[in-house]
Amino acid sequence: KAGVTQTPRYLIKTRGQQVTLSCSPISGHRSVSWYQQTPGQGLQFLFEYFSETQRNKGNFPGRFSGRQFSNSRSEMNVSTLELGDSALYLCASSRWTSGMTGELFFGEGSRLTVL
Amino acid sequence: AQSVAQPEDQVNVAEGNPLTVKCTYSVSGNPYLFWYVQYPNRGLQFLLKYITGDNLVKGSYGFEAEFNKSQTSFHLKKPSALVSDSALYFCAVRPNNNNDMRFGAGTRLTVKP
């Protein structure tokens, strides 16, 4: 069974640009969560999608947005990039959003560098 | 508000010795608790979880964790550490009424030969 796939793995952008990251969950998983990982702030929850609906949202500015498609694939977008947005962005999938006992399965992340 | 704390940034142990990585949590109600491991430039891998039942949970790669409700702790343990266990370990908590999983700051485990 294929794992969670994130693309691109690495990317470099400049301040003010925007970026779109993609995540394909494990087959059959309908919940996709996004996290930002930085050395200073650790792992911070961005948002979670289930059946194309945003179910939870972390404490990030509106420049961070996401969506989920009918095939459960998800994208997140960051507009007007700032230097502080440089981070590893991790996507995780799980089978049910109401199955809160379930663990998350993580992709290998997209490492964004903002210059 | 739910939160999880990992009081040690770094844990060093010698190969073959037992290891403990500490985690305490604060959440209303009964929590669901998880441990994950992250190797360099990789995503997080699930190790084990506590949902209910036996306070001692066994997981992958010989790891186990003990849930202690009175101390609100969920420490990760392994009887005999391997050099290959060296990695970043995250404790996570999810309240039983919300799908928002929150992670601790992580503990870097170094096992020396």
Side-chain angles (χ1 to χ4, degrees):
Chain A
K1 197 179 216 182
V4 177
T5 304
Q6 291 188 247
T7 57
R9 288 291 314 279
Y10 302 91
L11 66 166
I12 300 173
K13 294 285 187 178
T14 56
R15 278 182 299 174
Q17 287 186 311
Q18 72 157 12
V19 66
T20 299
L21 308 178
S22 179
C23 172
S24 294
I26 291 172
S27 178
H29 286 194
R30 296 169 62 190
S31 173
V32 174
S33 299
W34 289 89
Y35 289 83
Q36 182 196 62
Q37 186 179 20
T38 59
Q41 299 297 319
L43 275 162
Q44 292 188 284
F45 173 74
L46 280 157
F47 26 65
E48 185 230 351
Y49 287 88
F50 178 80
S51 291
E52 304 178 64
T53 301
Q54 187 181 88
R55 301 296 283 256
N56 285 295
K57 189 177 191 303
N59 189 26
F60 277 82
R63 300 185 297 108
F64 291 81
S65 63
R67 59 178 175 168
Q68 187 179 34
F69 302 96
S70 58
N71 62 357
S72 294
R73 190 178 71 85
S74 177
E75 290 181 347
M76 68 161 284
N77 184 78
V78 187
S79 62
T80 318
L81 284 166
E82 301 176 0
L83 295 178
D85 297 333
S86 295
L88 181 67
Y89 289 88
L90 292 165
C91 167
S93 74
S94 63
R95 189 171 293 275
W96 308 286
T97 191
S98 57
M100 292 167 291
T101 59
E103 60 269 27
L104 299 178
F105 294 84
F106 283 83
E108 298 206 334
S110 292
R111 184 165 294 282
L112 170 65
T113 302
V114 182
L115 302 177
Chain B
Q2 78 230 45
S3 65
V4 59
Q6 294 180 241
E8 302 158 316
D9 293 335
Q10 174 90 29
V11 170
N12 298 314
V13 298
E15 188 175 31
N17 283 0
L19 69 87
T20 298
V21 182
K22 295 179 181 178
C23 171
T24 59
Y25 66 90
S26 174
V27 63
S28 56
N30 295 318
Y32 301 137
L33 296 158
F34 303 79
W35 275 101
Y36 289 82
V37 60
Q38 185 179 33
Y39 297 99
N41 298 313
R42 306 295 295 274
L44 278 67
Q45 295 178 31
F46 169 75
L47 281 177
L48 51 79
K49 65 182 178 183
Y50 172 81
I51 304 302
T52 188
D54 194 349
N55 289 341
L56 185 64
V57 179
K58 294 189 183 296
S60 307
Y61 313 120
F63 284 94
E64 58 189 28
E66 186 167 12
F67 172 66
N68 187 317
K69 188 172 184 177
S70 62
Q71 298 184 5
T72 61
S73 67
F74 188 56
H75 301 332
L76 181 70
K77 300 180 180 184
K78 188 173 183 181
S80 179
L82 300 172
V83 173
S84 57
D85 292 331
S86 298
L88 190 57
Y89 289 81
F90 290 95
C91 181
V93 63
R94 178 193 274 157
N96 61 4
N97 60 355
N98 190 304
N99 200 35
D100 180 0
M101 187 177 286
R102 299 295 175 116
F103 289 82
T107 299
R108 184 163 301 283
L109 172 68
T110 302
V111 181
K112 298 184 178 180

